[in-house]
């Protein structure tokens, strides 16, 4: 029978495993250096650098920053050409399917007031006013 004796930890093998792990991590790691302001945060006040000569008293406007903020506050229909999620598909097309003609009685049903409804509305109004006066 083979004896299973446990030997000490081999430092060379542990170091090789560590180096291989670090190499794999660095292979897919990307350094992000393009810093920007979060456009979805409501508070976006930026101050200039201290002792900077190019900051005027009027203040400079960063056009890229303003475009990012404006784009973040737009409706999804204006940002994207197609809905991005299933929930956005509901109500994505808000244009009416047909042009409605107010004179066409088949599609337009305006509210009509008869003598009875006018009388009830006046009576209800008087009742509300007398209750509020007390």
């Amino acid at each position: 029978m083979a004896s299973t004796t446990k030997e000490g930890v081999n430092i060379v093998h542990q170091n090789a495993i560590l180096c291989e792990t670090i190499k794999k991590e660095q292979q897919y790691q990307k350094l992000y250096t393009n810093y920007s302001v979060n456009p979805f945060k409501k508070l976006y006040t930026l101050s200039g650098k201290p002792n900077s000569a190019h900051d005027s008293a009027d203040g400079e406007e960063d056009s890229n920053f303003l475009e990012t903020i404006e784009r973040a506050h737009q409706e999804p229909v204006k940002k994207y050409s197609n809905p991005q999620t299933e929930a956005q598909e509901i109500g994505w097309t808000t244009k009416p399917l047909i042009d409605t003609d107010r004179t066409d009685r088949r599609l337009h049903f305006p509210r009509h007031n008869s003598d009875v409804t006018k009388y009830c509305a006046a009576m209800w109004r008087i009742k509300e006013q007398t209750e509020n006066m007390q």
Side-chain angles (χ1 to χ4, degrees):
M1 287 183 122
S3 65
T4 56
T5 59
K6 191 169 187 179
E7 297 181 15
V9 177
N10 190 347
I11 297 174
V12 175
H13 290 282
Q14 293 294 326
N15 191 19
I17 292 171
L18 178 64
C19 290
E20 185 178 346
T21 305
I22 291 172
K23 190 183 292 184
K24 285 181 182 177
E25 287 177 358
Q26 288 179 345
Q27 181 180 3
Y28 298 107
Q29 190 176 30
K30 180 182 175 187
L31 184 62
Y32 184 75
T33 58
N34 185 12
Y35 300 109
S36 177
V37 176
N38 184 1
F40 302 107
K41 190 174 181 182
K42 292 293 180 187
L43 179 67
Y44 46 86
T45 56
L46 294 176
S47 59
K49 295 180 180 179
N51 300 329
S52 178
H54 68 277
D55 285 341
S56 62
D58 299 334
E60 295 179 7
E61 292 183 353
D62 186 12
S63 60
N64 185 23
F65 172 73
L66 292 176
E67 289 173 8
T68 306
I69 294 296
E70 287 174 8
R71 180 164 168 79
H73 293 297
Q74 284 180 346
E75 297 87 23
V77 178
K78 294 180 183 175
K79 284 187 204 176
Y80 311 110
S81 59
N82 295 324
Q84 302 295 306
T85 63
E86 292 289 326
Q88 285 182 348
E89 288 182 5
I90 300 170
W92 187 262
T93 306
T94 56
K95 279 195 320 188
L97 298 176
I98 58 172
D99 292 330
T100 57
D101 186 14
R102 297 278 184 188
T103 60
D104 190 4
R105 292 286 184 199
R106 296 175 297 170
L107 301 175
H108 182 65
F109 304 103
R111 186 175 296 177
H112 296 287
N113 289 332
S114 66
D115 294 336
V116 175
T117 56
K118 288 179 185 177
Y119 173 75
C120 287
M123 185 179 69
W124 190 267
R125 195 175 318 115
I126 292 171
K127 178 184 173 191
E128 290 289 323
Q129 288 176 355
T130 56
E131 286 179 0
N132 290 336
M133 293 297 236
Q134 295 175 358

